[in-house]
Amino acid sequence: MELDETIITRAIVEEFSKVFLDYIDVDVALVGGGPANLVAAKYLGEAGLKTVLFEKKLSIGGGMWGGGMMFPRIVVQEDAKHILDDFGINYHEYEKGYYVASSIESVGKLICGATGAGVEIFNLIDVEDVMIRENDAVCGLVINWGPVSMARLHVDPLAIRAKVVIDGTGHDAGICSTVQRKIPGADIELGVIGEKPMWADVGEKILMDTTKEVYPGLIVTGMAANAVAGAPRMGPVFGGMMLSGKKAAEIAIEKLKQLKN
């Protein structure tokens, strides 16, 4: 068969445009493609919710790719081992309660788990603002191409509508910070304080408390949750991140049930 470059171009542009337009009005929009949001995405998709995830960088997976200091291994504690099983991630017990997995396999299977549940992922898209309407609730995102934001080009953005937004942007807590910056006096629960130094034991445990709806329509998860609350960072132990993602999905599912009633 003879390949025609114009057909290839048309296929890419038409198919992307079709999917993109289908996801400008969703149930849940996740910002940040790290492990917490990938876990949340799978459970949201399996619950039948129309879910989209935006990542400003080329690659999905956040800091999990590098394992610990570029040694491609992660540690997951006993409480979160069932999530490794849910995603089909291979692991072995290093010491009692400490499970080791490949960071590369983990990212790949987290992505497959999310997309396999029907979640649409768009990379190279940055979220530069939020939309807020009735009852001062977050109801959508303002998006632009990631390279446009990184190059600081003055290009007007587009917008999508979402019933719930989940901030999984890691250490920056980008969406929560935007709300706090753009709405003086915004009641972001506890405020965006910034994370404390590393203390894995405390950081992992408190993460289940800091994962919550911090502003109407805005849930925070993963390292962003601890950054908002001023809790310690955790390092290359990822059980808390995964459990936080699952909890964020559960909060979103319950909130959407309430909105329907």
Side-chain angles (χ1 to χ4, degrees):
M1 118 182 223
E2 183 177 348
L3 292 174
D4 184 329
E5 289 86 356
T6 62
I7 295 175
I8 296 169
T9 299
R10 189 181 303 114
I12 290 171
V13 174
E14 285 186 354
E15 290 302 312
F16 173 84
S17 299
K18 184 190 306 179
V19 174
F20 180 78
L21 290 173
D22 188 38
Y23 279 85
I24 61 173
D25 193 344
V26 298
D27 292 317
V28 184
L30 302 105
V31 187
N37 262 357
L38 288 171
V39 169
K42 171 182 167 68
Y43 294 120
L44 290 165
E46 290 177 343
L49 298 175
K50 191 172 187 179
T51 304
V52 65
L53 184 152
F54 295 109
E55 166 57 53
K56 70 178 178 179
K57 296 181 181 178
L58 177 62
S59 64
I60 310 297
M64 184 180 272
W65 285 111
M69 210 179 80
M70 295 195 298
F71 297 104
R73 295 294 180 272
I74 60 168
V75 172
V76 173
Q77 63 270 48
E78 183 74 40
D79 291 347
K81 182 166 66 74
H82 69 279
I83 298 181
L84 296 178
D85 293 329
D86 285 351
F87 282 84
I89 297 170
N90 293 298
Y91 58 87
H92 69 274
E93 191 171 28
Y94 178 74
E95 289 187 12
K96 184 174 177 57
Y98 293 80
Y99 299 88
V100 176
S102 161
S103 62
I104 308 300
E105 179 193 356
S106 297
V107 173
K109 288 188 174 176
L110 288 178
I111 295 170
C112 288
T115 56
V119 175
E120 193 63 41
I121 297 177
F122 293 107
N123 61 341
L124 292 172
I125 290 185
D126 186 30
V127 176
E128 62 178 54
D129 203 351
V130 298
M131 295 196 302
I132 293 183
R133 296 291 185 272
E134 295 78 12
N135 302 316
D136 288 330
V138 174
C139 64
L141 299 172
V142 180
I143 61 174
N144 215 324
W145 295 113
V148 166
S149 299
M150 292 174 188
R152 299 182 180 276
L153 300 177
H154 296 288
V155 178
D156 280 334
L158 297 174
I160 74 154
R161 182 184 293 117
K163 298 181 180 72
V164 175
V165 170
I166 299 181
D167 184 349
T169 57
H171 305 285
D172 296 334
I175 306 307
C176 293
S177 296
T178 295
V179 172
Q180 191 171 58
R181 185 181 73 253
K182 299 293 280 284
I183 307 175
D187 187 19
I188 294 283
E189 187 172 339
L190 299 179
V192 183
I193 298 173
E195 65 192 29
K196 289 182 179 178
M198 184 184 291
W199 189 351
D201 184 54
V202 174
E204 289 285 290
K205 290 173 181 174
I206 202 170
L207 185 52
M208 294 309 293
D209 294 324
T210 60
T211 300
K212 60 177 70 177
E213 183 179 23
V214 292
Y215 190 82
L218 176 59
I219 297 166
V220 65
T221 188
M223 197 58 242
N226 274 7
V228 167
R233 66 183 301 176
M234 300 86 76
V237 54
F238 281 88
M241 299 285 280
M242 294 178 174
L243 290 168
S244 174
K246 186 174 184 180
K247 182 179 178 182
E250 292 168 350
I251 295 170
I253 291 167
E254 183 59 33
K255 181 174 180 65
L256 288 168
K257 285 181 182 176
Q258 293 173 2
L259 290 174
K260 287 181 180 179
N261 296 335

